[in-house]
């Protein structure tokens, strides 16, 4: 027999990423009763948990190594770096945990009720939420905000059953240092992954469908991203 429950709220937010939790907090600040639904155990969505924030911790490490190499030409030399990949990953997880914990505290302070599970609209004013244990919660609402975010695209020509093929999430959990890495995609995640991996790979190559690396960003951001790519990566286009 499936365990089930039901509740009623004024505002429901589907998605716990930056768009979702900020909308939920704002609605709560305006005096609304708010329920936030997300399929992760922690708030922050892709960006905070497996995207922007963990990538930027590795980008910082890569920047430190890059600056150390550049200073060798300016009279300050350092020995070969000793990279402890487990400690590096632990630091990344610590940064993510600190930020997700802060969001949990902010939600609690605002009395935003967080339900963990997959949400599915079953009517104009109802959402059914199913968690990993099979428990079903029906949420009745007046207004809904949909902020479900994104996920890596599945390319039809890529053999995803090959253990060498990773998405941006899997790249953050590598257990060994790859000597060579090909990153397909020149957007924000692709650029960050390629640059961050420079602190752990001998060579990183990046391929993109579009000649403008980081398409959709302004000129300065694209120019800066492309300049870094040309200095440190093999940039492929097709």
């Amino acid at each position: 027999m499936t365990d089930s429950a039901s509740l009623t709220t004024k505002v429901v937010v589907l998605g716990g990423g930056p768009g979702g939790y900020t909308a939920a907090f704002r609605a709560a600040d305006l005096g609304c009763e708010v329920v936030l639904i997300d399929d992760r155990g922690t708030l922050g969505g892709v960006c905070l948990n497996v995207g922007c924030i963990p990538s930027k911790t590795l980008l910082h490490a890569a920047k430190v190594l890059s600056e150390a190499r550049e200073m060798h030409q300016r009279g300050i030399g350092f020995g070969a770096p000793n990279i402890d990949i487990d400690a590096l990953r632990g630091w990344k997880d610590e940064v993510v945990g600190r930020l997700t914990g802060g969001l949990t505290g902010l939600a609690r302070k605002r009395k935003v009720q967080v339900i963990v599970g997959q949400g599915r609209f079953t009517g104009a004013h109802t959402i059914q939420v199913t968690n990993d244990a099979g428990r079903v919660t029906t949420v009745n609402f007046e207004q809904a905000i949909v902020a479900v975010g994104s996920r890596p695209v599945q390319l039809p020509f890529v053999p995803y059953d090959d253990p060498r093929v990773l998405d941006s999430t899997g790249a953050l959990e590598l257990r060994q240092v790859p000597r060579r890495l090909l990153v397909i995609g020149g957007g924000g995640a692709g650029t960050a992954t390629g640059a961050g991996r420079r602190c752990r790979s001998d060579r990183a190559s990046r391929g993109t469908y579009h000649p403008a690396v980081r398409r959709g960003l302004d000129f300065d951001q694209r120019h800066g991203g492309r300049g870094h790519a040309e200095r440190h990566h093999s940039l492929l286009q097709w």
Side-chain angles (χ1 to χ4, degrees):
M1 182 176 179
T2 302
D3 189 13
S4 62
S6 179
L7 59 90
T8 300
T9 187
K10 182 174 181 61
V11 177
V12 65
V13 179
L14 186 60
Y21 69 74
T22 52
F25 293 170
R26 178 58 176 164
D29 291 342
L30 293 174
C32 298
E33 186 179 18
V34 181
V35 170
L36 192 157
I37 301 167
D38 193 75
D39 60 358
R40 298 179 187 274
T42 55
L43 296 180
V46 169
C47 177
L48 200 158
N49 287 278
V50 294
C52 312
I53 301 303
S55 293
K56 286 178 180 177
T57 61
L58 298 180
L59 276 173
H60 177 71
K63 181 182 178 182
V64 171
L65 288 179
S66 178
E67 290 179 344
R69 295 187 186 106
E70 291 173 359
M71 288 306 297
H72 180 75
Q73 302 174 0
R74 296 169 174 81
I76 302 177
F78 298 91
N82 178 25
I83 300 175
D84 185 334
I85 195 169
D86 292 326
L88 190 62
R89 188 170 51 250
W91 171 54
K92 178 259 298 179
D93 292 341
E94 179 185 349
V95 171
V96 171
R98 188 162 60 245
L99 294 176
T100 55
L103 288 178
T104 299
L106 291 173
R108 187 183 303 114
K109 180 179 179 180
R110 289 173 166 82
K111 296 182 172 56
V112 172
Q113 183 175 353
V114 179
I115 300 178
V116 178
Q118 290 276 351
R120 178 172 63 90
F121 284 96
T122 55
H125 293 279
T126 56
I127 290 181
Q128 189 177 81
V129 186
T130 306
N131 66 13
D132 290 341
R135 177 180 172 83
V136 177
T137 302
T138 300
V139 181
N140 305 289
F141 61 87
E142 294 182 24
Q143 303 290 331
I145 298 173
V146 179
V148 293
S150 63
R151 64 185 63 186
V153 67
Q154 297 285 311
L155 300 175
F157 56 85
V158 174
Y160 286 94
D161 56 346
D162 190 320
R164 296 172 300 169
V165 176
L166 305 168
D167 58 18
S168 57
T169 300
L172 293 169
E173 298 299 329
L174 283 172
R175 299 290 174 178
Q176 295 180 334
V177 179
R179 292 189 62 83
R180 293 183 63 84
L181 179 72
L182 170 65
V183 180
I184 301 178
T191 302
T193 301
R197 222 51 52 186
R198 278 293 294 157
C199 74
R200 296 160 60 176
S201 305
D202 284 351
R203 188 68 181 167
S205 300
R206 182 163 72 249
T208 177
Y209 279 120
H210 196 269
V213 175
R214 309 186 77 178
R215 185 183 186 186
L217 303 180
D218 63 38
F219 174 80
D220 289 337
Q221 290 176 304
R222 293 201 310 269
H223 182 71
R226 187 179 182 89
H228 185 278
E230 290 172 344
R231 290 194 305 273
H232 300 290
H233 311 315
S234 298
L235 181 59
L236 314 177
Q237 299 172 9
W238 64 87

